[in-house]
Amino acid sequence: MIEVEFLGPLGNKTYKANANDLYALKEELQKIPEIEPWLKDCAIALNDEIITSLDKTINKGDRVALLPPVCGG
């Protein structure tokens, strides 16, 4: 099991997932109505590193964070 953090406007929540790669995690997260619209715009961090491809294996204990776009002023 892995832990996924939803940050900022996603509600600062934590979600437990059973996915073993980022493709499976994406499928799992698409089933959450309040998260699904954000998925195409979020950056993904795996163990505190921004990833650019879903071709990554997720291991038990890995930390995944969804980082929505933000604007400042």
Side-chain angles (χ1 to χ4, degrees):
M1 184 163 300
I2 60 158
E3 193 170 282
V4 181
E5 295 179 70
F6 303 132
L7 303 176
L10 298 176
N12 295 321
K13 299 176 186 173
T14 302
Y15 174 77
K16 302 282 186 190
N18 292 312
N20 58 4
D21 63 37
L22 291 174
Y23 288 110
L25 178 60
K26 180 180 176 183
E27 286 183 18
E28 198 170 324
L29 295 177
Q30 286 175 327
K31 296 175 184 174
I32 304 172
E34 61 271 17
I35 299 301
E36 192 275 330
W38 290 92
L39 291 177
K40 66 180 173 60
D41 296 321
C42 286
I44 301 169
L46 177 60
N47 297 322
D48 299 321
E49 288 188 36
I50 300 293
I51 57 127
T52 58
S53 170
L54 296 181
D55 292 326
K56 300 278 184 183
T57 300
I58 305 172
N59 299 303
K60 183 178 177 179
D62 280 351
R63 182 172 172 248
V64 177
L66 291 183
L67 310 161
V70 295
C71 58

